[in-house]
Amino acid sequence: MGKPTTPSEIITPRYLVFLRYQCYYEYPLLTYLEYPILIAQDIILLLGIFHFNGNVFASAPYVALFVASWFVLTLRKWIIDLSMSLCLFISVASKFAQLQYLWKTGDSGAVSALTWSLASYTCVARIITTLMTTNDLTLLTRFATMLALNLWVTATVLRYRKTVLKAK
């Protein structure tokens, strides 16, 4: 198992599902405006990786999958709802992978408590804005779960933080 690095890995499909979910339920644009930007950022990054590896055409299957997913997600209501649930499951699994690594090594030197604190703060902000705009139980459940896990990771990072002795 590789070492997880940050709370926000490059996961364009997750952003795609969130964007389609909020478009499907016709939520206000300001509640999901960052997702198109995040998707574009990830696409540019992935195309850059393929370009510098010398094979831009290898990205064609990913582009085709992305475009097909855009349409398939909203064929039926249960598909988009199931996709949101699976995104929560994957996010929870990634947090537990981070926790497992921290417990196994007992060292949080490569993990930033500030980054995880900011991820927690983001969840709090998302809970507040969701309550103020849509009251969507699926989104609230997701953000509350992620808040709890982000706080748990933050506490674990702080628990295993090594103190640096100052030289005299």
Side-chain angles (χ1 to χ4, degrees), residues 99-154:
L99 284 165
Q100 183 181 22
Y101 177 80
L102 289 169
W103 296 330
K104 181 180 175 184
T105 63
D107 180 23
S108 67
V111 182
S112 169
L114 178 61
T115 302
W116 286 98
S117 298
L118 289 172
S120 301
Y121 171 77
T122 301
C123 288
V124 170
R126 295 307 242 135
I127 289 170
I128 292 168
T129 56
T130 302
L131 284 171
M132 292 172 54
T133 57
T134 64
N135 270 335
D136 186 319
L137 187 59
T138 302
L139 292 175
L140 288 171
T141 302
R142 183 199 187 295
F143 293 132
T145 304
M146 291 298 97
L147 172 61
L149 290 172
N150 286 338
L151 289 172
W152 191 3
V153 173
T154 303

